[in-house]
Amino acid sequence: SSGINAEYGVVRMGESGTGTISKTINQQLVGSHSMAAAEAYLIGSGKNVDMDQLNKLLEKSWGYSKIQNRCFSVIQQGGEALHNSGAPLRNLAKDIAISKNLATELGLELPILNETNKVCQTAMTQNKGGADMAIMKDIIDNVSPRPATGSVLDFAHPAKGNDNYEA
């Protein structure tokens, strides 16, 4: 079986069916990177980080991925880019479900895959299958409980004049 990649062309992956499994593995990584990007975006935007600047910074950082960059950009654009995508979430959801079935078949419990699948399925039940995969940010945001007050940063970086916590 063969896998197709724009940079490498056709690559033999092994026996019949392994090209399809390879494509599914790629999509599993796309899904997990999308989830991580959505979570990171929520933290950054929630703490008033300039997300355009962060996206540029990450291009030179270890946390960079093509999917992170794409998700941040699509979220920033919003509108049609987010809600009517040429790379709709329904396609990713299908592949994530296939990966989940493969994991079950192999007796594997994969927490990142399971959470990605939950978010994809939630998006599908909310009729967001035509939206871009970056819509995961909204799904995660809508199910995340909010603390009443305070922040971990209040302890990590206490207010000026409150030096009791400084080392």
Side-chain angles (χ1 to χ4, degrees), residues 30-31 33-42 55 66-90 92-93 116 119-120 123 128-142:
V30 167
H33 288 210
S34 297
M35 288 278 289
E39 291 177 356
Y41 194 95
L42 286 166
N55 206 16
K66 288 180 183 179
I67 294 300
Q68 164 275 312
N69 183 275
R70 184 183 180 285
C71 286
F72 276 30
S73 297
V74 169
I75 292 166
Q76 289 290 101
Q77 291 173 37
E80 278 297 301
L82 184 59
H83 296 286
N84 190 15
S85 177
L89 183 114
R90 72 175 156 266
L92 180 62
T116 303
V119 170
C120 286
K128 295 183 179 180
D132 191 87
M133 67 185 93
I135 202 73
M136 289 180 168
K137 177 197 71 80
D138 292 348
I139 304 300
I140 295 167
D141 193 25
N142 290 336

Side-chain angles (χ1 to χ4, degrees), residues 1-3 11-22 102 105:
S1 185
S2 300
V11 178
R12 179 150 173 77
M13 302 306 295
E15 300 300 318
S16 178
T18 57
T20 301
I21 291 171
S22 298
L102 290 170
E105 181 182 304

Side-chain angles (χ1 to χ4, degrees), residues 57-65 68:
L57 173 70
L58 289 174
E59 288 178 8
K60 295 172 178 40
S61 303
W62 287 21
Y64 174 81
S65 76
Q68 164 275 312

